[in-house]
Each structure stands twice: as C-alpha cells, then as structure tokens.
Amino acid sequence: MTRESGPPRGGLARRLVQLYTGLVLYGVSMGLMLRADLGLEPWSVLNQGISRHTGLSIGTVTVAFGALILLLWIPLRQRPGLGTVSNVVILGVVMDLTLAWFPELSSLGARIPLLAFTVVLNGAATGLYIAARFGPGPRDGLMTGLHLRTGRPVRLVRTCIEVTVLVAGFLLGGSIGVGTVLYALAIGPLAQFFLRRFAISGLPPTPSRVVAGTGSSPARAILRK
C-alpha cells in the first residue's frame, strides 16, 4: 500500500519560523536604516515625518498607520492573513526596540556600511516573510487591491503609491537621501534573490495571482513597510 505524498513534516513550523524571523529582521533593518541617517525608504519617510509632528515614536506611528491602511482593505475587498496582522504589530515594535538598543552614529565611515547592510538585511527579511505565504503586509495588500479595483498595472499602482507617500513624507520632514535611492534600486533584485532562496516546496511560486498575472517577479511587485 503506497502512502500518499504530502507536505513535508514540520512544513507549518518552518513557515511560521520564516514569517516571524522575517518580520523581526525587517523591523531591525528599518531601525538600523534610521541610525544610518542617509535616507529612508518611502513608507519610513512618511512615518518619520508624522512622528516628528505628533511626538509619537516612529514605531508607534508605523503600527498605527499599518492598522489604518488595513481599514482601506475593506472597500478594496482584501482579506488579511496571519502575516498581515503580524506585520502591523511586529514591525513598529521591533523598530522602536532597535532604536533604543542601537546608538546614534556620527561617523560617515560607519554609517555608509551600516546602510548597505540594512538594505541587504531588508531584502533577506522580505524573502523570508513573503515566502512563508501567510498573507501580504498591509501596504502590499493596498497595492494589489487597487490593482484589482482600478485595472491599472501593478507597477503603475506601486509607483503612484510610493511617489505619493515619499512626497508626503518629505513635506512632513522625513529623511530622503542616498539611502532612499539605494533602496529603490537594490530592493527588487535582493528580494527576488531571497524569495527564491527561502521558497518552500509545495507552495505556489508567487505571492498572489495578481503578481503572477503581471508577468513580473514577486519582488518587483512588493511595497516596502
């Protein structure tokens, strides 16, 4: 009698480990990018700008804004998963803890390599938590939801969202610099590489049917936290 093949033993455990390891590392990378002080990725630019005007920590703003974005999922008919809710809670908390633990740096010779390290770390974190397939982050879901509702290409929707967020964050006093440009150029290839590296056999190869339908790689359709 032949035993039917199924998912490998410990498959769920591995996915959970990947999810939460990825989210924690993502939060760490966001905090370290702030410490590098050479420019942030678009959503952090906005969160930092709001933080400066409200007096709230940037981690608190990240959590609150993530929850607010989830409300926009309702008219877009998007459904959150475990990864979605975990994303909202974990990133901001870990970001604040990282900022509390890691001191500010004054030397440019230390800040430049720290920036390079954080971008690579962010790419690895993205690959880990997306490959676990527990649902997109709130910003990713906003992008795919708008794509479905408007019929516009994913790349166009992503670009419009990120440019809007970046401009709003800059006007509020968020930090834009070489790190912003480096992140924009490097995160796609890095996330694509690590998505393949951390892919779990037996799961669909792409994060969503929306991304699969565009003909672009999963990494290129991801919006950053």
Side-chain angles (χ1 to χ4, degrees), residues 120-207:
V120 175
L121 180 63
N122 191 278
T126 299
L128 277 167
Y129 95 83
I130 293 293
R133 298 298 312 279
F134 277 110
R139 297 152 190 85
D140 304 335
L142 175 63
M143 174 195 67
T144 54
L146 285 172
H147 162 76
L148 287 172
R149 297 291 285 176
T150 65
R152 301 295 182 183
V154 170
R155 291 180 182 179
L156 176 61
V157 172
R158 174 186 175 180
T159 299
C160 290
I161 292 175
E162 292 198 344
V163 169
T164 301
V165 166
L166 189 63
V167 171
F170 176 72
L171 293 176
L172 289 171
S175 300
I176 294 178
V178 65
T180 310
V181 177
L182 177 63
Y183 187 92
L185 294 175
I187 193 59
L190 283 171
Q192 184 178 16
F193 170 80
F194 285 111
L195 275 164
R196 291 173 177 170
R197 176 65 181 83
F198 298 122
I200 300 173
S201 61
L203 297 179
T206 56

